[in-house]
Amino acid sequence: MNDNPVRILHVIGAMNRGGAETIVMNLYRCIDRTKIQFDFLVGTDEECDYDREIRELGGCIYSLPRFTGTNYRAYKKACRDFFRSHRYPIVHGHIGSSAAIYLSEAKKAGAFAIAHSHAQHFPLSPGEIAFRMLSFPTRFIADYFIACSQQAGLDRYGRKIAESARYHILKNGIDSASYRFDEQTRKRIRDELSIPNDALVYGHVGRFDPIKNHVFLIDVFEATLEKKPDAFLVLAGREDAARSIRKRCENDGIQDKVRFLGLREDICHVLSAMDVFIFPSFKEGLPMATIEAQASGLPCLISTGVPSLAQVGDRTDFLPLSAGARAWSDAAIEKFEDGRSVDRANAVDDIRNAGFDIDASTAWLQDFYLDIAEKGRIS
């Protein structure tokens, strides 16, 4: 057994249950930790969802002040001080806004720098403009570039890098077997949620953020209730951010039809209880939730703001938001009717064949890390 695995430092905001964080944890659980070990540099002192598991897996967690833009000098000094006292052969950055700072300081300390894009550009806003300006220099600093999809890489790094040998697409792999549809699990979750086994259930998994477009999702569900009054909507995501959507449901009198699940560790089981997965985001990189839903055999209706790479099987369709809530509702109901006779359990094979199984993603990343580490920039 190797007593000295290559330690990789992941720089990320906070290890709570979110898209990028869950992707990293999926990789961490599966990677050969006798060869590769993960440590984390975060922007919070608070205990986060995954911290305990990270420590149990042998990882270390360090914290720096959160980058705000106005604390540029203080943040840069904190990064410089950190990398002078913590030597890593590879630093893998997931925060775009401050990547130009921490990756630059990591390189000065002898590390190879990896920039990782998890999302396409969001619609223009003052915050998005500031993000693009802050993240732009990263393309001149990082040694290697990773993205979850081609568009996520083009948006963040530009075409020159996205067509270079330093750029790679790493698919958001999942433990596909755990998402296999199960009839008994479906009944158990529905009983827990007080939902009849024969009712139409729409589902969505994602943080309650404007980019996820929950308002439109409620519009789609209300249009469905006009035709399917016994339908239900199941929403999974951090509860403290769901207040405005809860209020909307109460004002519209549909609160008894909507189940807010908060954060769940058993999303792989919850998906079995759904009939149609609705994902109307304005923009995404490559949302894991859509891959997980398809692994469970769910017919999916996804906005055109999501990359086409997210389509794995023939039960997933893309629809522009401009089509309107009623068109989305009609398409979702049609998917429900068509899907009644389909064997959902076989969908896991589609996920594996498309390269979204965690074993494939981890094998590639492990070889990538080891190849870089052999170059040995740090003396």
Side-chain angles (χ1 to χ4, degrees):
M1 181 175 179
N2 185 0
D3 294 328
N4 296 296
V6 177
R7 300 196 80 93
I8 312 297
L9 183 71
H10 288 268
V11 185
I12 199 161
M15 286 306 293
N16 283 314
R17 295 183 186 278
E21 296 82 2
T22 299
I23 291 163
V24 174
M25 287 305 298
N26 284 347
L27 294 164
Y28 190 19
R29 295 180 187 114
C30 191
I31 209 159
D32 184 347
R33 292 187 296 280
T34 67
K35 296 179 179 179
I36 300 289
Q37 179 57 254
F38 286 3
D39 291 336
F40 297 83
L41 182 61
V42 300
T44 179
D45 290 321
E46 297 180 0
E47 186 74 7
C48 298
D49 297 333
Y50 290 125
D51 285 2
R52 180 177 178 180
E53 183 180 0
I54 288 170
R55 296 187 185 100
E56 290 174 347
L57 293 174
C60 299
I61 304 170
Y62 305 98
S63 65
L64 290 182
R66 178 174 172 270
F67 179 66
T68 63
T70 59
N71 65 343
Y72 177 89
R73 290 185 178 180
Y75 182 79
K76 185 178 181 68
K77 182 180 184 303
C79 290
R80 183 184 302 121
D81 292 344
F82 177 85
F83 287 112
R84 282 176 176 173
S85 58
H86 300 80
R87 306 296 295 278
Y88 284 91
I90 299 170
V91 175
H92 191 150
H94 303 272
I95 306 176
S97 59
S98 58
I101 303 172
Y102 63 77
L103 290 182
S104 177
E105 295 301 326
K107 287 185 67 173
K108 290 176 184 177
F112 284 100
I114 301 173
H116 196 146
S117 174
H118 293 274
Q120 297 175 221
H121 279 333
F122 292 154
L124 278 178
S125 66
E128 176 64 15
I129 293 171
F131 174 84
R132 295 187 192 184
M133 292 176 62
L134 289 166
S135 64
F136 184 81
T138 305
R139 63 184 67 186
F140 306 109
I141 294 170
D143 297 298
Y144 301 96
F145 302 84
I146 293 176
C148 60
S149 68
Q150 185 65 12
Q151 193 59 51
L154 285 169
D155 282 1
R156 181 72 60 83
Y157 311 126
R159 186 167 298 280
K160 183 177 180 180
I161 286 175
E163 294 177 352
S164 75
R166 296 188 295 148
Y167 172 79
H168 306 275
I169 292 178
L170 176 62
K171 291 184 176 180
N172 296 343
I174 64 171
D175 179 9
S176 57
S178 67
Y179 289 88
R180 188 183 298 274
F181 173 79
D182 181 77
E183 189 66 47
Q184 291 184 340
T185 300
R186 172 187 176 88
K187 186 177 187 309
R188 174 175 60 80
I189 297 294
R190 287 197 172 209
D191 287 345
E192 173 194 331
L193 301 178
S194 299
I195 296 176
N197 202 45
D198 60 349
L200 163 59
V201 176
Y202 288 172
H204 181 274
V205 178
R207 70 185 186 277
F208 286 86
D209 183 282
I211 202 70
K212 299 292 186 180
N213 206 10
H214 283 85
V215 171
F216 184 81
L217 177 56
I218 298 300
D219 291 341
V220 174
F221 181 59
E222 290 186 340
T224 297
L225 286 175
E226 295 177 7
K227 296 182 177 181
K228 299 279 187 179
D230 295 330
F232 289 83
L233 174 62
V234 173
L235 302 175
R238 192 174 292 277
E239 187 69 16
D240 56 3
R243 294 173 185 170
S244 64
I245 300 302
R246 273 187 175 277
K247 188 66 175 176
R248 159 79 184 273
C249 293
E250 292 170 2
N251 290 341
D252 293 355
I254 62 170
Q255 66 271 22
D256 292 339
K257 292 290 185 177
V258 183
R259 302 290 187 265
F260 290 85
L261 305 190
L263 289 176
R264 298 275 298 228
E265 295 184 2
D266 62 341
I267 289 298
C268 57
H269 297 154
V270 172
L271 291 170
S272 283
M274 301 175 184
D275 293 305
V276 183
F277 195 78
I278 312 289
F279 206 82
S281 291
F282 287 108
K283 277 281 189 179
E284 293 280 352
L286 184 66
M288 285 185 64
T290 59
I291 305 302
E292 294 167 348
Q294 290 172 91
S296 184
L298 276 168
C300 298
L301 195 59
I302 303 174
S303 75
T304 51
V306 175
S308 59
L309 185 62
Q311 183 178 22
V312 176
D314 58 7
R315 304 189 68 203
T316 294
D317 289 323
F318 291 86
L319 198 61
L321 296 173
S322 59
R326 290 193 177 279
W328 274 66
S329 173
D330 291 342
I333 291 173
E334 183 178 351
K335 281 191 167 297
F336 169 63
E337 299 294 350
D338 291 344
R340 291 186 178 211
S341 59
V342 175
D343 182 2
R344 289 173 55 177
N346 293 329
V348 168
D349 296 333
D350 294 333
I351 298 297
R352 291 172 176 164
N353 293 336
F356 282 105
D357 190 81
I358 190 61
D359 289 337
S361 299
T362 305
W364 179 88
L365 186 63
Q366 180 168 299
D367 289 344
F368 182 62
Y369 283 151
L370 292 174
D371 181 61
I372 295 173
E374 285 181 2
K375 299 177 181 178
R377 177 175 287 170
I378 290 181
S379 59

